[in-house]
Amino acid sequence: MKKILFSLAFLFLVASAQAQRAVYAVGSAVPGESQQLEKFEDGTFHFHGTLQPGDLFLTTSSTLRSSSLCYAPKYEDSNIVNDGIPYTSSRGDSPSLAWKVLFSADNYRFVLDPSTTTVRGELFEWWYEAWIVGGCVAPDQSEKWLLEKAEPMYQSIYDPYVWTWRGLLKNYSGNMESKRFKILGQYGWDPKSLHPFTQDASVLDATQVAYNYSHDYKWNLAQNGYYSITVNVFLETITATYLGTQQPDGVSSANASEPQIYASGRQVRVVSDRLLTATLFTLDGRQLLTESGTDLRLTAPSPGVYIVKTDQVTRKVVVK
C-alpha cells in the first residue's frame, strides 16, 4: 500500500510539472532576481543567458516565498552546470532547495525536463561551423545522404551564435528522403545536430530547434525554391523565409565546382572538385598562407577571425 501511494504521489508530481505553464529562475544568482524560462515544444523549460555567483531557485512563481513550489536538486549544493541531476518538488524558500552558481558568465544554458525529472546545464560554446544536409539539398544521394553534398552555413560577424544559409532546396526524387533536411554542427554526423520536434515539420513555421534530439527528425520541404534559413545555436531558435523560384541576387546556383570552406579547430579546410589556389589573410589584409590543390588545409597561427580567398569566393572564418 505504501508503495502504491508513493508511486501515485510521484506520478502526480511529474504530471504537475509537465502541465506547468511557467517556470522561473529566481534568487541571488539571477540578474534582476527573476527570469522566466522558455517553454519548448517538447514540454521542456530552457534558460539562456547571464548568471552570477549565488543561489538559483527553479520555481513556479516569479518571486520566492515560503509557499513556493521549487524544483530542487536531489543532492544538496548541486551546480547548475551538470550532465543531468534529478530534481524533487518541494515547497519553501530554504537555501537547501537552491541550485548553485559559482561564477559569472553570459553563456549559461540549462534545461528542466519534466519527462525525466532532471535538470542539466552547461556553459555553451559557440560553434565553429554549421552545415545543412539532406535529400533536398543536393542530387546524387540515392542510397544515403553524403557529407560531401552538405552546404556550409555562414557565421554572422556580429553574433557568433548566429548562422545563415541561402540557397536552393529541391525535391530530388532519386534521393533518399528526398524532401528532408537537418543541420549539423560539424563536417560530420556527430556530436552536434539540430532537428525539428516532429518529423516532417515545416521549416517556414518553425521557431525553435531540438538540440541533439533523441529522435532523428528532419524538416520537410513543402515547395521547391530558394530559402533563407537562420539559426541561433545558443538560443535554440530558427527562422526561415521562402524566396521564390527565381535565383535571388547574392545566391549562387548549386554548383559542385564552388569550393567548400570550413574551419575545424585551428585548421581551415578548402575542398574543391578542381584544382585551385587558396590564400589565408588576417582581417587587416596581411597574407599568411597560400596553398594549391583540391583538398587544402591552412593552419591559422592563433584563434581569431580570418579571410580565405580563392578565385571564386572570399569568406570570413572563425578558428579556435
Side-chain angles (χ1 to χ4, degrees), residues 59-88:
T59 179
T60 57
S61 58
S62 59
T63 57
L64 187 65
R65 51 179 77 96
S66 60
S67 60
S68 296
L69 177 64
C70 294
Y71 302 119
K74 182 177 180 180
Y75 314 108
E76 193 170 343
D77 293 333
S78 291
N79 198 309
I80 195 63
V81 176
N82 64 76
D83 290 329
I85 292 177
Y87 66 75
T88 59

mmCIF file of all heavy atoms in Angstrom, residues 59-88:
data_model
loop_
_atom_site.group_PDB
_atom_site.id
_atom_site.type_symbol
_atom_site.label_atom_id
_atom_site.label_comp_id
_atom_site.label_asym_id
_atom_site.label_seq_id
_atom_site.Cartn_x
_atom_site.Cartn_y
_atom_site.Cartn_z
ATOM 1 N N THR A 59 11.343 27.664 -9.727
ATOM 2 C CA THR A 59 10.062 27.694 -9.027
ATOM 3 C C THR A 59 8.939 28.081 -9.969
ATOM 4 O O THR A 59 9.173 28.537 -11.099
ATOM 5 C CB THR A 59 10.133 28.665 -7.831
ATOM 6 O OG1 THR A 59 8.880 28.716 -7.166
ATOM 7 C CG2 THR A 59 10.517 30.064 -8.288
ATOM 8 N N THR A 60 7.707 27.892 -9.514
ATOM 9 C CA THR A 60 6.529 28.162 -10.342
ATOM 10 C C THR A 60 6.034 29.595 -10.219
ATOM 11 O O THR A 60 5.059 29.961 -10.864
ATOM 12 C CB THR A 60 5.388 27.209 -9.961
ATOM 13 O OG1 THR A 60 5.099 27.367 -8.562
ATOM 14 C CG2 THR A 60 5.774 25.770 -10.240
ATOM 15 N N SER A 61 6.687 30.405 -9.397
ATOM 16 C CA SER A 61 6.281 31.800 -9.236
ATOM 17 C C SER A 61 7.470 32.721 -9.460
ATOM 18 O O SER A 61 8.622 32.318 -9.287
ATOM 19 C CB SER A 61 5.682 32.042 -7.845
ATOM 20 O OG SER A 61 6.608 31.689 -6.841
ATOM 21 N N SER A 62 7.186 33.953 -9.852
ATOM 22 C CA SER A 62 8.247 34.897 -10.193
ATOM 23 C C SER A 62 8.948 35.467 -8.969
ATOM 24 O O SER A 62 9.988 36.109 -9.096
ATOM 25 C CB SER A 62 7.684 36.041 -11.044
ATOM 26 O OG SER A 62 6.652 36.717 -10.344
ATOM 27 N N THR A 63 8.395 35.245 -7.804
ATOM 28 C CA THR A 63 9.034 35.648 -6.549
ATOM 29 C C THR A 63 9.070 34.460 -5.608
ATOM 30 O O THR A 63 8.155 33.625 -5.615
ATOM 31 C CB THR A 63 8.293 36.815 -5.879
ATOM 32 O OG1 THR A 63 6.917 36.438 -5.659
ATOM 33 C CG2 THR A 63 8.339 38.061 -6.747
ATOM 34 N N LEU A 64 10.116 34.371 -4.816
ATOM 35 C CA LEU A 64 10.295 33.238 -3.909
ATOM 36 C C LEU A 64 9.641 33.544 -2.571
ATOM 37 O O LEU A 64 9.883 34.584 -1.966
ATOM 38 C CB LEU A 64 11.790 32.948 -3.723
ATOM 39 C CG LEU A 64 12.133 31.689 -2.925
ATOM 40 C CD1 LEU A 64 11.677 30.441 -3.674
ATOM 41 C CD2 LEU A 64 13.637 31.633 -2.670
ATOM 42 N N ARG A 65 8.792 32.624 -2.116
ATOM 43 C CA ARG A 65 8.144 32.749 -0.806
ATOM 44 C C ARG A 65 8.066 31.370 -0.165
ATOM 45 O O ARG A 65 8.376 30.355 -0.807
ATOM 46 C CB ARG A 65 6.762 33.394 -0.952
ATOM 47 C CG ARG A 65 5.892 32.729 -1.992
ATOM 48 C CD ARG A 65 4.510 33.398 -2.077
ATOM 49 N NE ARG A 65 4.580 34.649 -2.798
ATOM 50 C CZ ARG A 65 4.306 34.754 -4.087
ATOM 51 N NH1 ARG A 65 3.998 33.681 -4.804
ATOM 52 N NH2 ARG A 65 4.356 35.919 -4.688
ATOM 53 N N SER A 66 7.649 31.322 1.088
ATOM 54 C CA SER A 66 7.627 30.051 1.827
ATOM 55 C C SER A 66 6.658 29.038 1.221
ATOM 56 O O SER A 66 6.808 27.835 1.425
ATOM 57 C CB SER A 66 7.267 30.300 3.290
ATOM 58 O OG SER A 66 5.990 30.914 3.390
ATOM 59 N N SER A 67 5.672 29.519 0.447
ATOM 60 C CA SER A 67 4.704 28.613 -0.168
ATOM 61 C C SER A 67 5.081 28.219 -1.597
ATOM 62 O O SER A 67 4.350 27.478 -2.252
ATOM 63 C CB SER A 67 3.324 29.278 -0.184
ATOM 64 O OG SER A 67 3.362 30.493 -0.931
ATOM 65 N N SER A 68 6.232 28.710 -2.093
ATOM 66 C CA SER A 68 6.633 28.451 -3.479
ATOM 67 C C SER A 68 6.917 26.973 -3.713
ATOM 68 O O SER A 68 7.513 26.295 -2.865
ATOM 69 C CB SER A 68 7.878 29.264 -3.828
ATOM 70 O OG SER A 68 7.620 30.640 -3.778
ATOM 71 N N LEU A 69 6.486 26.473 -4.876
ATOM 72 C CA LEU A 69 6.836 25.120 -5.292
ATOM 73 C C LEU A 69 8.163 25.191 -6.044
ATOM 74 O O LEU A 69 8.252 25.835 -7.092
ATOM 75 C CB LEU A 69 5.755 24.527 -6.191
ATOM 76 C CG LEU A 69 6.043 23.120 -6.746
ATOM 77 C CD1 LEU A 69 6.131 22.101 -5.608
ATOM 78 C CD2 LEU A 69 4.980 22.701 -7.754
ATOM 79 N N CYS A 70 9.178 24.544 -5.511
ATOM 80 C CA CYS A 70 10.521 24.577 -6.103
ATOM 81 C C CYS A 70 10.886 23.223 -6.687
ATOM 82 O O CYS A 70 10.521 22.170 -6.137
ATOM 83 C CB CYS A 70 11.565 24.960 -5.052
ATOM 84 S SG CYS A 70 11.401 26.636 -4.428
ATOM 85 N N TYR A 71 11.595 23.261 -7.802
ATOM 86 C CA TYR A 71 12.195 22.054 -8.372
ATOM 87 C C TYR A 71 13.642 22.041 -7.893
ATOM 88 O O TYR A 71 14.530 22.666 -8.477
ATOM 89 C CB TYR A 71 12.092 22.080 -9.892
ATOM 90 C CG TYR A 71 10.655 22.193 -10.364
ATOM 91 C CD1 TYR A 71 10.227 23.275 -11.123
ATOM 92 C CD2 TYR A 71 9.725 21.217 -10.023
ATOM 93 C CE1 TYR A 71 8.913 23.384 -11.540
ATOM 94 C CE2 TYR A 71 8.400 21.309 -10.434
ATOM 95 C CZ TYR A 71 8.005 22.398 -11.193
ATOM 96 O OH TYR A 71 6.688 22.498 -11.599
ATOM 97 N N ALA A 72 13.851 21.343 -6.803
ATOM 98 C CA ALA A 72 15.117 21.396 -6.079
ATOM 99 C C ALA A 72 16.006 20.220 -6.458
ATOM 100 O O ALA A 72 15.511 19.127 -6.785
ATOM 101 C CB ALA A 72 14.857 21.372 -4.578
ATOM 102 N N PRO A 73 17.329 20.407 -6.426
ATOM 103 C CA PRO A 73 18.233 19.286 -6.732
ATOM 104 C C PRO A 73 18.089 18.168 -5.710
ATOM 105 O O PRO A 73 17.915 18.416 -4.509
ATOM 106 C CB PRO A 73 19.621 19.920 -6.678
ATOM 107 C CG PRO A 73 19.458 21.134 -5.825
ATOM 108 C CD PRO A 73 18.069 21.637 -6.060
ATOM 109 N N LYS A 74 18.152 16.945 -6.193
ATOM 110 C CA LYS A 74 18.081 15.789 -5.290
ATOM 111 C C LYS A 74 19.259 15.786 -4.336
ATOM 112 O O LYS A 74 19.135 15.338 -3.183
ATOM 113 C CB LYS A 74 18.068 14.500 -6.119
ATOM 114 C CG LYS A 74 17.958 13.233 -5.293
ATOM 115 C CD LYS A 74 17.889 11.998 -6.183
ATOM 116 C CE LYS A 74 17.785 10.724 -5.343
ATOM 117 N NZ LYS A 74 17.709 9.522 -6.215
ATOM 118 N N TYR A 75 20.402 16.309 -4.791
ATOM 119 C CA TYR A 75 21.613 16.351 -3.974
ATOM 120 C C TYR A 75 21.907 17.799 -3.624
ATOM 121 O O TYR A 75 22.042 18.647 -4.508
ATOM 122 C CB TYR A 75 22.786 15.726 -4.730
ATOM 123 C CG TYR A 75 22.432 14.420 -5.393
ATOM 124 C CD1 TYR A 75 22.309 14.339 -6.790
ATOM 125 C CD2 TYR A 75 22.178 13.270 -4.633
ATOM 126 C CE1 TYR A 75 21.966 13.151 -7.399
ATOM 127 C CE2 TYR A 75 21.822 12.083 -5.241
ATOM 128 C CZ TYR A 75 21.713 12.030 -6.620
ATOM 129 O OH TYR A 75 21.352 10.854 -7.241
ATOM 130 N N GLU A 76 21.969 18.097 -2.364
ATOM 131 C CA GLU A 76 22.141 19.477 -1.904
ATOM 132 C C GLU A 76 23.435 20.085 -2.452
ATOM 133 O O GLU A 76 24.442 19.408 -2.607
ATOM 134 C CB GLU A 76 22.150 19.517 -0.374
ATOM 135 C CG GLU A 76 22.000 20.912 0.198
ATOM 136 C CD GLU A 76 21.757 20.902 1.692
ATOM 137 O OE1 GLU A 76 21.389 19.840 2.234
ATOM 138 O OE2 GLU A 76 21.946 21.968 2.314
ATOM 139 N N ASP A 77 23.383 21.375 -2.755
ATOM 140 C CA ASP A 77 24.512 22.144 -3.272
ATOM 141 C C ASP A 77 24.929 21.699 -4.679
ATOM 142 O O ASP A 77 26.096 21.847 -5.064
ATOM 143 C CB ASP A 77 25.725 22.074 -2.328
ATOM 144 C CG ASP A 77 25.467 22.783 -1.013
ATOM 145 O OD1 ASP A 77 24.652 23.720 -0.999
ATOM 146 O OD2 ASP A 77 26.077 22.391 -0.004
ATOM 147 N N SER A 78 24.003 21.183 -5.462
ATOM 148 C CA SER A 78 24.311 20.783 -6.837
ATOM 149 C C SER A 78 24.528 22.014 -7.713
ATOM 150 O O SER A 78 23.795 22.999 -7.631
ATOM 151 C CB SER A 78 23.172 19.947 -7.421
ATOM 152 O OG SER A 78 23.084 18.694 -6.799
ATOM 153 N N ASN A 79 25.528 21.923 -8.584
ATOM 154 C CA ASN A 79 25.840 23.011 -9.510
ATOM 155 C C ASN A 79 24.851 22.993 -10.670
ATOM 156 O O ASN A 79 24.472 21.922 -11.149
ATOM 157 C CB ASN A 79 27.274 22.842 -10.037
ATOM 158 C CG ASN A 79 27.826 24.111 -10.644
ATOM 159 O OD1 ASN A 79 27.193 24.732 -11.497
ATOM 160 N ND2 ASN A 79 29.002 24.499 -10.206
ATOM 161 N N ILE A 80 24.448 24.164 -11.120
ATOM 162 C CA ILE A 80 23.536 24.243 -12.255
ATOM 163 C C ILE A 80 24.201 23.732 -13.530
ATOM 164 O O ILE A 80 23.519 23.301 -14.469
ATOM 165 C CB ILE A 80 23.012 25.683 -12.451
ATOM 166 C CG1 ILE A 80 21.800 25.695 -13.385
ATOM 167 C CG2 ILE A 80 24.119 26.595 -12.953
ATOM 168 C CD1 ILE A 80 20.603 24.934 -12.875
ATOM 169 N N VAL A 81 25.529 23.734 -13.596
ATOM 170 C CA VAL A 81 26.255 23.134 -14.723
ATOM 171 C C VAL A 81 26.489 21.669 -14.385
ATOM 172 O O VAL A 81 27.251 21.341 -13.468
ATOM 173 C CB VAL A 81 27.594 23.849 -14.977
ATOM 174 C CG1 VAL A 81 28.372 23.137 -16.080
ATOM 175 C CG2 VAL A 81 27.356 25.311 -15.357
ATOM 176 N N ASN A 82 25.815 20.783 -15.109
ATOM 177 C CA ASN A 82 25.890 19.355 -14.793
ATOM 178 C C ASN A 82 25.412 18.543 -15.986
ATOM 179 O O ASN A 82 24.848 19.086 -16.936
ATOM 180 C CB ASN A 82 25.051 19.029 -13.559
ATOM 181 C CG ASN A 82 23.580 19.291 -13.787
ATOM 182 O OD1 ASN A 82 22.893 18.511 -14.450
ATOM 183 N ND2 ASN A 82 23.062 20.419 -13.266
ATOM 184 N N ASP A 83 25.606 17.219 -15.927
ATOM 185 C CA ASP A 83 25.224 16.335 -17.025
ATOM 186 C C ASP A 83 23.816 15.782 -16.891
ATOM 187 O O ASP A 83 23.398 14.942 -17.688
ATOM 188 C CB ASP A 83 26.210 15.164 -17.124
ATOM 189 C CG ASP A 83 27.571 15.613 -17.620
ATOM 190 O OD1 ASP A 83 27.613 16.580 -18.397
ATOM 191 O OD2 ASP A 83 28.584 15.008 -17.216
ATOM 192 N N GLY A 84 23.084 16.238 -15.878
ATOM 193 C CA GLY A 84 21.716 15.763 -15.663
ATOM 194 C C GLY A 84 21.537 15.272 -14.241
ATOM 195 O O GLY A 84 21.959 14.161 -13.916
ATOM 196 N N ILE A 85 20.935 16.086 -13.402
ATOM 197 C CA ILE A 85 20.725 15.746 -11.990
ATOM 198 C C ILE A 85 19.226 15.684 -11.721
ATOM 199 O O ILE A 85 18.486 16.593 -12.126
ATOM 200 C CB ILE A 85 21.391 16.790 -11.075
ATOM 201 C CG1 ILE A 85 22.918 16.700 -11.202
ATOM 202 C CG2 ILE A 85 20.974 16.601 -9.616
ATOM 203 C CD1 ILE A 85 23.660 17.737 -10.386
ATOM 204 N N PRO A 86 18.731 14.637 -11.049
ATOM 205 C CA PRO A 86 17.298 14.555 -10.731
ATOM 206 C C PRO A 86 16.876 15.701 -9.818
ATOM 207 O O PRO A 86 17.658 16.178 -8.997
ATOM 208 C CB PRO A 86 17.180 13.207 -9.999
ATOM 209 C CG PRO A 86 18.402 12.444 -10.367
ATOM 210 C CD PRO A 86 19.481 13.461 -10.587
ATOM 211 N N TYR A 87 15.627 16.133 -9.999
ATOM 212 C CA TYR A 87 15.089 17.132 -9.090
ATOM 213 C C TYR A 87 13.885 16.568 -8.344
ATOM 214 O O TYR A 87 13.254 15.593 -8.777
ATOM 215 C CB TYR A 87 14.715 18.423 -9.829
ATOM 216 C CG TYR A 87 13.571 18.328 -10.815
ATOM 217 C CD1 TYR A 87 12.241 18.255 -10.396
ATOM 218 C CD2 TYR A 87 13.809 18.343 -12.189
ATOM 219 C CE1 TYR A 87 11.192 18.186 -11.287
ATOM 220 C CE2 TYR A 87 12.764 18.278 -13.097
ATOM 221 C CZ TYR A 87 11.449 18.202 -12.640
ATOM 222 O OH TYR A 87 10.415 18.130 -13.529
ATOM 223 N N THR A 88 13.585 17.166 -7.207
ATOM 224 C CA THR A 88 12.398 16.834 -6.435
ATOM 225 C C THR A 88 11.536 18.081 -6.321
ATOM 226 O O THR A 88 12.039 19.208 -6.410
ATOM 227 C CB THR A 88 12.767 16.334 -5.032
ATOM 228 O OG1 THR A 88 13.509 17.369 -4.350
ATOM 229 C CG2 THR A 88 13.632 15.082 -5.109
#
